[in-house]
Amino acid sequence: MSMLLFAAQDTYGAVLAQVGNPTPEAPPGSEKILQLVRYLTWFVLLSGICGIVYAGGKFAWEKWTGGGLESPKMVAGAMIGGVVATSAGTIMNAVIGT
């Protein structure tokens, strides 16, 4: 019985050792999805820039009129959001391991 188990382990070990690391291949039609992701990335970056410009203008207006300062939080939020948005690809590559 132990001889049979040893032979089974050896056989399965040899089979597992022969399986290579497959290279990832994009499925058919994935170019459209990647194009959509590129468009969304562009839109996120554009909206972040617009948010920082708007918050900077509001900050200048608040300083000029002497009103309450709410815009520094907007600038900080826009900058943090920009850092997260631009590093999302790097974060996903680190998580997935490619």
Side-chain angles (χ1 to χ4, degrees), residues 36-47:
L36 178 65
V37 169
R38 287 191 291 267
Y39 287 163
L40 290 174
T41 302
W42 180 84
F43 180 73
V44 166
L45 293 175
L46 179 67
S47 62

Side-chain angles (χ1 to χ4, degrees), residues 8-78:
Q9 277 183 328
D10 189 38
T11 304
Y12 290 129
V15 171
L16 290 177
Q18 292 174 0
V19 175
N21 189 9
T23 58
E25 182 179 336
S30 64
E31 183 58 37
K32 295 290 184 184
I33 295 172
L34 291 175
Q35 184 178 12
L36 178 65
V37 169
R38 287 191 291 267
Y39 287 163
L40 290 174
T41 302
W42 180 84
F43 180 73
V44 166
L45 293 175
L46 179 67
S47 62
I49 291 170
C50 290
I52 290 174
V53 169
Y54 173 75
K58 187 172 179 182
F59 181 64
W61 179 257
E62 288 172 354
K63 289 291 271 186
W64 188 51
T65 60
L69 294 178
E70 296 179 10
S71 56
K73 291 183 267 184
M74 291 174 62
V75 172

Side-chain angles (χ1 to χ4, degrees), residues 87-98:
S87 63
T90 306
I91 293 169
M92 286 305 296
N93 283 336
V95 170
I96 294 173
T98 56

